[in-house]
Amino acid sequence: QVGIEGGKGAEANAVDGGCDVCGGFVKDQSLRTGYRDGCLSFERWAELSAFCRAVGCSLLFTVNALAGRSRTPCEPAVNCRLTKPAPACCTDYRGGWDGRNAAALLRHAAARRDPVAAVAFGNELGGARAIEARLGADVYAQGIAQLRDIVNDAWPDAETRPLVIAPNIQIDAQDDAAWLAGLVHEAPFLKIVTHHLYPLGPGNFSKVE
């Protein structure tokens, strides 16, 4: 499978809504990821799908779980990228998920019969080690339910329907037990629980032993 994901907590648009010209990523130290914006164009999506068809792979990708959510900016002196631990103002996102952009991509993929195996909801947005945002299990589960409905609508046939997977976080058995229990309670329909492991350290780790 080919995974498409925006990096540590990155939440770029999944598709550009009909225009084949996307803006690039912009550096922004007020965000924990260090950048914002960017999107995946329909043209680029078609290239990825064609590649998978040619080599016999399938697509697994993450949709923007922060679409529609916002946070109150921190004071100018706060650098969310470098300040550790991150102040609450860096990760306190409010509001519900806006799934219209994701729905446009998924309907497009279903109509083209693209080889989509699974769709993940956001990247490291819950638990003790959340990156860009720290969403409560109940809020996160509401978004997963919306994504499930979008996927079910785009692929009425359960035999060809992609899986919906989550939460795509680093899991600590002690720190995240309550969060995970809340997620399972709020989203009992979730069939696959995913997590991240970094046995060699983060991507910017200069010494691998």
Side-chain angles (χ1 to χ4, degrees), residues 22-86:
C22 281
F25 291 105
V26 178
K27 289 184 178 181
D28 188 342
Q29 294 300 315
S30 71
L31 300 176
R32 295 196 69 197
T33 55
Y35 60 90
R36 57 179 169 79
D37 298 338
C39 69
L40 175 65
S41 69
F42 280 133
E43 180 181 14
R44 185 59 171 165
W45 173 262
E47 292 173 351
L48 290 166
S49 178
F51 171 79
C52 273
R53 291 180 189 279
V55 301
C57 70
S58 54
L59 293 163
L60 184 161
F61 64 97
T62 303
V63 298
N64 181 359
L66 292 183
R69 308 184 199 272
S70 62
R71 66 177 176 84
T72 301
C74 299
E75 295 294 327
V78 176
N79 186 318
C80 290
R81 174 66 173 166
L82 301 178
T83 304
K84 295 182 180 180

Side-chain angles (χ1 to χ4, degrees), residues 4-6 9-15 25 36-40 61-70 93 96-103 105-106 119-123 125 132-133 135 140 143-144 146-147 150 168:
I4 306 172
E5 193 166 60
E11 297 298 323
N13 285 331
V15 72
F25 291 105
R36 57 179 169 79
D37 298 338
C39 69
L40 175 65
F61 64 97
T62 303
V63 298
N64 181 359
L66 292 183
R69 308 184 199 272
S70 62
Y93 278 75
W97 182 54
D98 183 351
R100 290 176 295 177
N101 185 259
L105 171 60
L106 294 173
V119 184
F121 188 63
N123 181 31
L125 299 178
E132 180 59 37
L135 303 179
Y140 184 78
I144 299 174
Q146 288 178 253
L147 178 59
I150 291 171
N168 317 307

Side-chain angles (χ1 to χ4, degrees), residues 97-184:
W97 182 54
D98 183 351
R100 290 176 295 177
N101 185 259
L105 171 60
L106 294 173
R107 287 195 298 266
H108 179 73
R112 286 169 39 91
R113 299 183 182 275
D114 289 323
V116 180
V119 184
F121 188 63
N123 181 31
E124 302 200 7
L125 299 178
R129 292 169 176 76
I131 305 297
E132 180 59 37
R134 184 167 285 113
L135 303 179
D138 56 339
V139 173
Y140 184 78
Q142 290 170 9
I144 299 174
Q146 288 178 253
L147 178 59
R148 173 203 58 186
D149 292 344
I150 291 171
V151 170
N152 289 352
D153 181 66
W155 284 271
D157 183 0
E159 294 297 321
T160 60
R161 184 181 301 152
L163 295 169
V164 173
I165 63 177
N168 317 307
I169 65 173
Q170 300 179 66
I171 294 176
D172 183 278
Q174 292 184 332
D175 294 343
D176 297 325
W179 193 92
L180 288 170
L183 175 63
V184 172

